[in-house]
Amino acid sequence: MLKGKHIILGISGGIAAYKSASLVRLFVKAGAEVQVIITPNGKEFITPLTLSTLSGKPVISEFFTANTGQWNSHVDLGLWADAMVIAPATASTIAKMANGVADNMLITTYLSAKSQVFVAPSMDLDMMRHPSTTRNIELLRSYGNIIIEPAEGELASHLIGKGRMEEPENILKAVDSYFEKSLSLKGRKVLITAGPTFEKIDPVRFIGNYSSGKMGYAIADEAAARGAEVTLVSGPVAIKPDNASVRVVNVESASEMLDACKKYFPESDIAIMTAAVADYAPAHPLDHKIKREKTDFDTLELVKNPDIAATLGAMKSDGQILVGFALETDNELANATEKLERKNLDMIVLNSLRDKGAGFRMDTNKISICRRDGSCVAYDLKPKKLVAVDIIDAVSSL
Ligand code: PMT
């Protein structure tokens, strides 16, 4: 999987930097092109000459090459990389990454990187379990970085505990399996709905809900990152997908969302219904503004909107996978499993507004995934980007 891949290996100043030489060798042996970026402290632990000999490329450390005045562009490097691996990542480098302290070439490149970033921490056990390190690592995770957990064992201080940088072979395996996974939906067409629907009352008012689109957009980005061709049918939101390959179809009302879904579902292998669709719409939307002074308007007559997920459930043919969401406030599991059956879904993602940090507008969510065999798996509260990884993993397993 690593053949032809562009890897940036960032090395910061820790004793485990000596293992980075083996890591360069393993990447090169696997067919990858490796560009080493080392921090000034890193050079105290391993020489650039060793690393450039193994990688076949000059090692970058400074913003400028002193003798030629050549500028090392962190932006170009960030675009060049298919993956960036920071090994070893010291407490100081992790803190700078978490907080955007761009005072060396490694951090500026990290901030510019468009690719997946892997972080292999390495430090003494007390530094590792200090609340600031724990918090910074959690921040990196929330940015979507993959943390390659340090191993337990004897450390350079001769203390025994967690903090040893993972062995180069295992770091290579983590990067390799990332690329393998990134192709897991290649050739698949995925339809995703996201955001709210707005149901028009008059030209200035509507019935809507609090959905920001964050959950659905994260799922769309994750599916696209795994090679899927993604169509995202989106209600009115203020965000865009990160992945430029995602096709966005903008709609406003539930009936427009239904039309778009009916158009794209027949060609889709997978559909994931994340949108918060309004269940009712005004029966007689007006084309002029309702005036407060006119007292003839005191009741809003509503009609039931179509159930998009249930409609697709009825259209579904063999081999298509349909995933719904359930947003609940009570009787969560019972309601979710009832929707799973009634809408003919293959899987339902339950989130409850009773869970702190879950649901509308949050950057985090807490979900359970329930399947038709009656199993339900509960996940921890995590950033929506990582919730999307869990959902796409579960869908891929189908
Ligand atoms: O957008 P965010 O701010 O990130 O918030 C994310 C979210 C809370 C909106 C999302 O995680 C979520 O729970 N989405 C589903 C919201 C919802 O409408 O749930 P529901 O239990 O009412 O609907 C069940 C399923 O039927 C959903 O898949 C829904 O898309 C679908 N549905 C509902 C009504 C309807 N008329 N047509 C539908 O297709």
Side-chain angles (χ1 to χ4, degrees):
M1 282 294 153
L2 286 163
K3 200 167 166 34
K5 293 284 189 268
H6 294 171
I7 310 282
I8 291 180
L9 176 60
I11 301 175
S12 58
I15 182 63
Y18 79 92
K19 292 188 191 171
S20 309
S22 308
L23 189 53
V24 176
R25 248 189 113 240
L26 289 173
F27 277 135
V28 170
K29 251 179 103 179
E33 226 180 286
V34 181
Q35 175 62 64
V36 175
I37 303 179
I38 193 163
T39 64
N41 284 339
K43 287 192 281 189
E44 303 290 335
F45 289 90
I46 184 162
T47 72
L49 182 61
T50 307
L51 298 162
S52 61
T53 308
L54 292 170
S55 66
K57 278 180 187 293
V59 168
I60 296 175
S61 183
E62 312 298 336
F63 294 107
F64 294 92
T65 307
N67 52 352
T68 61
Q70 186 197 317
W71 181 51
N72 294 314
S73 167
H74 53 90
V75 177
D76 290 349
L77 282 165
L79 292 172
W80 174 84
D82 295 310
M84 181 169 188
V85 182
I86 299 163
T90 59
S92 155
T93 286
I94 287 171
K96 288 180 187 178
M97 289 165 69
N99 296 290
V101 181
D103 66 351
N104 66 42
M105 192 62 197
L106 175 50
I107 308 293
T108 50
T109 307
Y110 163 71
L111 294 176
S112 307
K114 294 257 180 234
S115 65
Q116 181 62 56
V117 177
F118 297 80
V119 183
S122 166
M123 64 197 78
D124 210 52
L125 78 164
D126 291 313
M127 294 173 83
M128 187 68 209
R129 60 187 176 205
H130 193 278
S132 65
T133 309
T134 314
R135 190 194 58 219
N136 288 331
I137 288 179
E138 281 320 305
L139 275 174
L140 295 187
R141 254 192 250 279
S142 74
Y143 305 157
N145 299 167
I146 294 176
I147 309 297
I148 302 175
E149 289 292 335
E152 299 215 8
E154 188 175 351
L155 304 166
S157 58
H158 302 300
L159 293 172
I160 295 182
K162 189 173 175 181
R164 260 163 67 142
M165 186 178 92
E166 187 49 279
E167 292 306 319
E169 289 76 10
N170 293 337
I171 296 178
L172 180 104
K173 265 191 216 151
V175 180
D176 192 58
S177 62
Y178 161 77
F179 283 118
E180 196 177 327
K181 202 168 151 185
S182 72
L183 296 175
S184 63
L185 291 180
K186 196 163 173 59
R188 302 289 183 186
K189 290 190 176 171
V190 181
L191 169 66
I192 294 163
T193 65
T197 64
F198 286 178
E199 311 299 330
K200 183 179 165 184
I201 297 172
D202 71 9
V204 295
R205 303 173 181 96
F206 58 84
I207 296 174
N209 59 65
Y210 295 118
S211 174
S212 62
K214 286 178 187 172
M215 190 65 256
Y217 276 60
I219 296 171
D221 281 329
E222 182 58 27
R226 307 230 192 155
E229 205 181 294
V230 179
T231 301
L232 176 62
V233 176
S234 174
V237 295
I239 56 173
K240 286 191 169 130
D242 290 338
N243 193 311
S245 75
V246 173
R247 167 170 59 184
V248 183
V249 178
N250 291 305
V251 296
E252 191 167 293
S253 63
S255 74
E256 286 172 17
M257 188 171 273
L258 175 69
D259 288 346
C261 287
K262 277 171 47 181
K263 178 173 171 192
Y264 294 107
F265 184 60
E267 64 182 42
S268 302
D269 300 294
I270 300 163
I272 306 175
M273 307 281 99
T274 320
V277 185
D279 281 316
Y280 291 89
H284 309 290
L286 297 172
D287 55 12
H288 61 272
K289 185 179 174 188
I290 301 163
K291 292 278 191 288
R292 185 184 160 81
E293 302 75 46
K294 296 207 173 158
T295 50
D296 57 343
F297 185 85
D298 54 9
T299 307
L300 187 60
E301 195 189 330
L302 300 175
V303 287
K304 231 179 185 162
N305 267 336
D307 188 320
I308 303 168
T311 307
L312 301 192
M315 287 169 67
K316 191 170 69 165
S317 53
D318 280 355
Q320 282 186 306
I321 294 172
L322 181 60
V323 179
F325 265 73
L327 178 64
E328 304 297 339
T329 55
D330 55 280
N331 289 326
E332 286 85 349
L333 273 178
N335 288 337
T337 43
E338 185 275 326
K339 284 175 187 170
L340 178 75
E341 289 289 332
R342 178 164 48 85
K343 302 188 187 212
N344 193 25
L345 308 171
D346 297 289
M347 192 183 262
I348 195 155
V349 180
L350 163 65
N351 43 187
S352 171
L353 291 181
R354 281 204 288 186
D355 286 324
K356 204 164 166 274
F360 291 128
R361 295 188 286 192
M362 304 283 171
D363 288 324
T364 50
N365 205 0
K366 183 168 183 343
I367 61 159
S368 295
I369 297 183
C370 302
R371 297 170 186 244
R372 286 198 82 93
D373 62 8
S375 66
C376 275
V377 177
Y379 294 78
D380 291 338
L381 179 78
K382 47 179 100 168
K384 281 184 174 163
K385 279 176 194 285
L386 298 184
V387 173
V389 173
D390 292 335
I391 292 169
I392 296 294
D393 278 348
V395 174
S396 300
S397 77
L398 289 178

